[in-house]
Amino acid sequence: MFILNQWMPIHRDDYDYSLIWMTAEHVSSFQDVVHSAYRHYFLHGGRMVTVFCLDLFLWLGKLWFDIVNALMFVALVVLMYFHARRSVEWRQEPVLLAATGLLAWLAFPHFGEVAVWKSGSTVYLWSAVPVALFLLPYNLSLAKGRPVLGSWWLLPMFLLGLIAGWSVENLAVTVVALTAGISWYLRRQGAMAGWMPAGCIGSLLGLIGLVAAPGNFVRYDDQGSGKGILDHIGNQIAGNAEMVLYILPLILLLLCAWRVFKMVLAERQGVQIARGGAELSYRQWALLGFILLLVVSYFNGSFVAWTVRDILYAIVMVPLGLTKPKTIDHFDNLFKGFDEMAIYWLTIFFVYALVKKRLGLSAPVIRQLAEMVKAHEVWQAFPAVRYAGGLLALALLNNLVMLAAPTFPARATFSSVAMIITATIAILRDPVIREYFSGHARVVLGAGAVGLALFTLSAAMLVTYTLRQENDARLAIVQAAAAKGEPIAYMDPIPLKNRALRHVFFADFDNGVTKDGLCKYYGIKDIKVNMEKDSRR
């Protein structure tokens, strides 16, 4: 994470936030940091805490930001693991701690945008960490049936609640509702401590400060004007659907675990389930070979993607007359991430098929289990299922809060995905699941995890390093133009378009947000990218 942050350049909105908000003055002192956050609160939005952190570290310097941002990611992984265990012991299950980190790396939507890019990570990653820390004592108290903190924690929890509530809109609402519900429940059980309602009140005040900001109404007038309820519902469908694409490994793991729970209950009734063999079928060997071919292609110019693109162009696009330059450009964009997405999806389904086979979950067995064991029986028999089910419901409600927002991009599902990751780890550490997975699918899951990790990590590192070099070369052109007093900087486009599973977030210098911020930051009027020299690779 630190290396990725080091290689990720200042980008897009970072330039705007390096200036006192909506001015051309550079942030050059702590007073400027405060003044910029204050202006942002009244002119753009209520996320004053995250904006203050962003402005502060942009002023302190990129190295400090890179260090803290990497630590924030590690902190979130550990906190999700604590919530899954409902305990603060972290040395007992190193494999599951590593699995938490891997699932966070794979499942967070638009990872480069929400966990590496500075303006994005301070909003989503930096909000999630204090919230997860704030909610941990509530979760532990609920699990133990007694308060885990003493009375002197009243003020610290109030202040931490204030920060947690002043985070991101949907997460803040969830925090207030959750702390209020837990406090009420434990009060009825005679186990409530004073820091519980104090933290809830702090989060409520933070939420009020977040949503009542004058800047929110300014931004809503720009983004939400004229949008009816159908638009908001459409946003929900699109945002949740994209989230599902990212959490596919979690969904398949939970699906296998659910069937294993059913299998255990069936075996307790005397039913014997036949295990599948370990050998690969010829189709699976062929699929594995194709995945390896795609990996070679990815690191050698994506020749598979462009071959498929050329074939489809010849037999589909040309006969249909879809040859306008803009149409072709959109068609090309589709294939700029073809290899890595194909590797990712095919590997996941390949591993899933093998895990099912090792666990004995053939189609007839799955149908038999569906008839023999009902969902409510699984729910009642396993506490981990009830806990994970509560987290999944909470994640869906956390997304539903965004129904009031004018937009709902997939990155806004970040906190919900954190809850789903926590639910998945809670299921994986259940003794029944650990026994079955360790006994029958450990090798397959381990190989799949290592393979996906190595590919995505190496791809992200390669693309980020290359983009950093391309960015520095073009930034030198902008700086030279500014030094000479030239109003326009001319440059060639960045040839590399690979997105590395969205673990890299970058747009060329002619992108509107990037260009506007850069021009204002360096004091030039425009940036021109010579599109005639653009390359599809």
Side-chain angles (χ1 to χ4, degrees):
M1 283 301 295
F2 174 70
I3 293 172
L4 278 179
N5 276 273
Q6 274 278 283
W7 289 348
M8 174 69 187
I10 299 291
H11 183 49
R12 286 173 64 92
D13 302 57
D14 298 341
Y15 288 104
D16 290 310
Y17 285 101
S18 296
L19 304 170
I20 297 176
W21 187 252
M22 295 191 71
T23 74
E25 299 179 34
H26 287 230
V27 173
S28 56
S29 67
F30 183 77
Q31 183 179 355
D32 289 344
V33 171
V34 176
H35 181 50
S36 183
Y38 176 81
R39 285 179 59 84
H40 185 278
Y41 187 77
F42 281 90
L43 298 175
H44 188 71
R47 300 169 184 172
M48 195 172 186
V49 174
T50 57
V51 168
F52 172 80
C53 292
L54 174 61
D55 287 348
L56 176 65
F57 279 92
L58 286 172
W59 168 59
L60 290 175
K62 185 176 181 300
L63 175 61
W64 290 109
F65 197 110
D66 296 338
I67 293 171
V68 175
N69 203 46
L71 289 173
M72 282 288 188
F73 177 74
V74 174
L76 182 60
V77 169
V78 173
L79 285 167
M80 288 191 295
Y81 174 71
F82 284 168
H83 277 282
R85 282 181 55 88
R86 308 188 86 177
S87 164
V88 293
E89 292 292 334
W90 63 274
R91 292 174 294 180
Q92 306 301 319
E93 300 168 317
V95 173
L96 284 177
L97 179 57
T100 308
L102 178 61
L103 292 178
W105 169 259
L106 294 176
F108 278 131
H110 300 268
F111 187 91
E113 189 174 353
V114 299
V116 182
W117 176 49
K118 290 156 186 55
S119 293
S121 62
T122 46
V123 171
Y124 297 104
L125 176 60
W126 290 36
S127 290
V129 170
V131 166
L133 180 61
F134 171 66
L135 291 177
L136 188 59
Y138 288 91
N139 194 358
L140 298 181
S141 299
L142 190 63
K144 296 178 183 295
R146 58 176 176 80
V148 296
L149 298 178
S151 58
W152 69 273
W153 278 93
L154 190 147
L155 180 59
M157 286 297 289
F158 171 81
L159 296 176
L160 187 55
L162 189 66
I163 295 172
W166 212 325
S167 53
V168 182
E169 290 77 10
N170 60 325
L171 183 57
V173 172
T174 301
V175 166
V176 173
L178 193 58
T179 53
I182 293 175
S183 299
W184 175 81
Y185 175 79
L186 291 177
R187 181 178 180 274
R188 288 178 59 90
Q189 303 299 314
M192 189 186 77
W195 57 263
M196 295 178 184
C200 179
I201 292 170
S203 64
L204 177 60
L205 293 176
L207 173 62
I208 293 172
L210 176 68
V211 300
N216 283 331
F217 301 98
V218 175
R219 187 170 61 172
Y220 191 85
D221 287 342
D222 293 336
Q223 298 180 356
S225 179
K227 291 186 176 180
I229 185 62
L230 292 180
D231 294 303
H232 289 261
I233 294 174
N235 290 339
Q236 278 285 311
I237 295 172
N240 281 282
E242 189 172 353
M243 179 190 74
V244 167
L245 297 179
Y246 282 95
I247 64 171
L248 182 63
L250 310 182
I251 293 173
L252 296 180
L253 279 171
L254 290 172
L255 184 59
C256 283
W258 178 259
R259 289 166 174 169
V260 168
F261 281 129
K262 285 193 167 188
M263 188 184 300
V264 170
L265 292 181
E267 289 176 340
R268 290 176 182 176
Q269 299 174 16
V271 178
Q272 295 298 319
I273 305 295
R275 303 279 179 245
E279 68 281 353
L280 298 178
S281 68
Y282 73 92
R283 292 181 179 178
Q284 289 168 333
W285 277 112
L287 178 57
L288 180 60
F290 184 60
I291 292 172
L292 294 175
L293 174 65
L294 287 169
V295 172
V296 174
S297 170
Y298 179 83
F299 291 105
N300 290 275
S302 297
F303 58 83
V304 171
W306 298 116
T307 300
V308 173
R309 182 263 180 202
D310 291 341
I311 292 173
L312 291 177
Y313 179 77
I315 66 175
V316 176
M317 302 291 285
V318 172
L320 293 177
L322 302 174
T323 56
K324 292 182 179 180
K326 188 173 183 179
T327 304
I328 298 301
D329 183 58
H330 289 313
F331 188 60
D332 283 351
N333 281 333
L334 181 66
F335 287 90
K336 286 171 182 174
F338 176 85
D339 279 355
E340 62 261 39
M341 289 306 298
I343 292 167
Y344 185 67
W345 283 73
L346 292 177
T347 301
I348 288 173
F349 282 112
F350 177 74
V351 171
Y352 172 64
L354 291 183
V355 169
K356 282 178 57 182
K357 190 173 184 180
R358 296 288 183 94
L359 294 174
L361 294 171
S362 62
V365 169
I366 292 173
R367 286 194 294 270
Q368 182 184 8
L369 292 174
E371 295 174 359
M372 292 186 59
V373 183
K374 303 305 178 184
H376 69 89
E377 297 178 75
V378 180
W379 180 268
Q380 293 173 357
F382 301 100
V385 172
R386 296 194 293 274
Y387 178 55
L391 287 171
L392 295 177
L394 192 65
L396 294 176
L397 291 174
N398 189 59
N399 280 349
L400 188 61
V401 174
M402 291 298 291
L403 185 65
T407 60
F408 183 35
R411 63 179 179 269
T413 67
F414 183 91
S415 53
S416 292
V417 172
M419 299 173 197
I420 298 171
I421 293 171
T422 303
T424 304
I425 297 300
I427 290 294
L428 291 179
R429 66 179 303 272
D430 182 88
V432 167
I433 300 302
R434 292 186 68 170
E435 178 183 350
Y436 268 75
F437 278 30
S438 296
H440 305 289
R442 179 175 57 186
V443 174
V444 173
L445 284 173
V450 170
L452 276 178
L454 287 177
F455 169 70
T456 53
L457 283 168
S458 57
M461 299 281 274
L462 173 65
V463 175
T464 303
Y465 178 74
T466 306
L467 282 173
R468 175 59 184 264
Q469 292 180 312
E470 299 283 356
N471 174 83
D472 289 350
R474 283 153 183 80
L475 198 58
I477 295 173
V478 175
Q479 292 170 335
K484 295 175 183 178
E486 297 174 355
I488 302 176
Y490 295 91
M491 61 189 68
D492 291 335
I494 295 177
L496 183 62
K497 302 297 184 183
N498 259 325
R499 292 185 288 271
L501 301 173
R502 299 296 178 93
H503 285 83
V504 179
F505 177 65
F506 200 88
D508 213 335
F509 278 50
D510 60 341
N511 175 271
V513 177
T514 302
K515 181 169 66 173
D516 292 345
L518 260 173
C519 289
K520 189 185 297 184
Y521 186 85
Y522 286 103
I524 63 176
K525 291 186 177 180
D526 200 2
I527 295 174
K528 297 290 187 181
V529 175
N530 181 14
M531 297 308 296
E532 293 181 0
K533 294 184 180 182
D534 194 6
S535 170
R536 71 184 181 185
R537 300 188 184 187

